[in-house]
Each structure stands twice: as C-alpha cells, then as structure tokens.
Amino acid sequence: MLDLIIILFGFSVLLVATIKDFKSKTIPNWLTLGSILCLVLYRLFEGNFFQYFTAFAYVGITFTLLSWLTKEAIGGGDIKLFLALSLICGLQNVFLVIVMSFVMAFLVSITVCKKEVELILAPFILVSYTILTILERWVAV
C-alpha cells in the first residue's frame, strides 16, 4: 500500500511540475525541494535510507557535472525533479527514467522541431516515469 502512495506521490509531483513548466518554463522550488524533504523523511523512517541516499548522491553528482560541462543546458528544476525521483525509484530505475527522458526529448527535437528551440523536460520525465512504473508494477509482476 505504501508503494502505491509513493508512486502516486511521484506522479502527482511530476504532473504539477509539467503544468508549471508548460506555463512558465520554470519548476517551483517549493514543489521540488518540498518533495525532496518529504521523501528524505519518509525514507529515513522507512529504514531503507542507504539505498536511496546512494541514488540521490549519484544523481546529484552526475547532474552537477553535467550542468557544469554543458554550461547549464539542463535546468535546475529538472535536476531537482531527478533528485526527488531518485528517492522514489532508487538508483537503477532513476537512471532508466533519465535515459528514457533524454531519448524522448532528443527524438522530439529532431523530428518535430525544425529550428533550435528550448524544450521543457518535465513532460518527458513524467511520461518516462509513468511508462517505467507501469512496466515494473503491472506488466512484469
């Protein structure tokens, strides 16, 4: 039951982030940092914090380096969304969501966009998370 609550929490956060990203091209800190705080507290009380903390650290280090190397080509709100997802999904699944998100964004950018545009990443993160959750929870049972 708690797994379902965490899954729905993740979906809700990503849905709100997607709507906000479409409207203003920003993801509010209250949403991402609030989610991270709630998830850290949940994982601490759950007792399985080390696995999720490891995922959080890897995602944080990876995106800090990526942001530095690409001169902030990915937004801070997207990075914080991935950090929150690391506390929901764990290491393996968060990297699957990251790869799926970037592949989908790349495919859309080369097929739909004829000129250089700034894509918002939150919808791709939402779709990737949803696909992975469905495949993991309901198809591969």
Side-chain angles (χ1 to χ4, degrees):
M1 180 65 177
L2 285 177
D3 280 346
L4 182 60
I5 292 171
I6 293 297
I7 289 168
L8 293 175
F9 177 79
F11 181 78
S12 301
V13 167
L14 289 171
L15 185 60
V16 171
T18 297
I19 292 167
K20 294 285 189 180
D21 214 3
F22 268 124
K23 287 184 177 181
S24 65
K25 294 202 185 240
T26 59
I27 300 170
N29 282 331
W30 62 263
L31 179 65
T32 53
L33 296 177
S35 299
I36 290 170
L37 178 63
C38 289
L39 289 162
V40 164
L41 292 174
Y42 172 76
R43 293 300 180 195
L44 278 172
F45 288 115
E46 179 191 39
N48 193 11
F49 184 72
F50 183 74
Q51 169 192 354
Y52 294 97
F53 176 74
T54 304
F56 186 85
Y58 279 134
V59 169
I61 291 167
T62 300
F63 277 106
T64 299
L65 290 173
L66 182 66
S67 178
W68 180 70
L69 291 172
T70 61
K71 304 205 182 345
E72 298 180 6
I74 183 170
D78 298 318
I79 294 170
K80 288 179 269 188
L81 274 180
F82 284 128
L83 286 169
L85 280 178
S86 70
L87 294 168
I88 292 171
C89 301
L91 187 59
Q92 181 180 357
N93 288 344
V94 78
F95 277 115
L96 286 172
V97 171
I98 291 167
V99 169
M100 287 171 58
S101 300
F102 282 123
V103 167
M104 281 190 276
F106 173 74
L107 292 174
V108 167
S109 71
I110 63 170
T111 58
V112 175
C113 305
K114 302 297 181 200
K115 57 182 180 175
E116 186 175 319
V117 302
E118 188 176 307
L119 284 178
I120 58 173
L121 195 54
F124 300 106
I125 301 170
L126 173 62
V127 170
S128 298
Y129 174 76
T130 304
I131 290 170
L132 179 69
T133 301
I134 289 169
L135 290 176
E136 182 182 59
R137 302 289 179 193
W138 289 284
V139 174
V141 173

